[in-house]
Amino acid sequence: PKDVVFYEVAMSKDDSYLVTGNTKHFPAVRRVVTPNEMLEILNSLDNEQLSILTFRYLGALLRATTILLIFLSKNQCFLRDK
């Protein structure tokens, strides 16, 4: 399926999860979870663990945003008024 790239990325790190509403499209592994299961996991963390996780994912989000902006600028994919 087209979603296999997301699975591969999520499984490349030991402490990552793939959060999806379509769990049936992926192998049944502990790290493929529904949004509700992810909320349960997050609720089970103490404040220190949650702070570390938040910091890590904010860094990943910043890197992904930077990569997207570089891609868009190199490919001149900007919205233009007609």
Side-chain angles (χ1 to χ4, degrees):
K2 296 182 281 185
D3 298 341
V4 74
V5 66
F6 301 109
Y7 176 79
E8 290 173 354
V9 170
M11 297 303 112
S12 70
K13 301 282 280 177
D14 289 335
D15 60 350
S16 63
Y17 290 89
L18 175 62
V19 182
T20 179
N22 298 316
T23 56
K24 66 183 179 213
H25 294 169
F26 301 97
V29 295
R30 180 182 65 85
R31 295 179 0 216
V32 176
V33 297
T34 65
N36 285 336
E37 291 170 328
M38 190 68 218
L39 287 175
E40 289 174 15
I41 292 167
L42 293 173
N43 284 331
S44 72
L45 300 177
D46 63 35
N47 285 340
E48 184 178 348
Q49 292 171 315
L50 194 55
S51 294
I52 291 168
L53 185 66
T54 301
F55 183 74
R56 185 179 304 156
Y57 283 106
L58 285 175
L61 181 60
L62 180 60
R63 285 189 298 278
T65 303
T66 302
I67 291 168
L68 177 61
L69 290 173
I70 291 169
F71 172 81
L72 291 174
S73 67
K74 286 186 176 185
N75 291 290
Q76 299 178 0
C77 297
F78 297 106
L79 295 177
R80 297 185 179 139
D81 291 335
K82 291 185 176 188

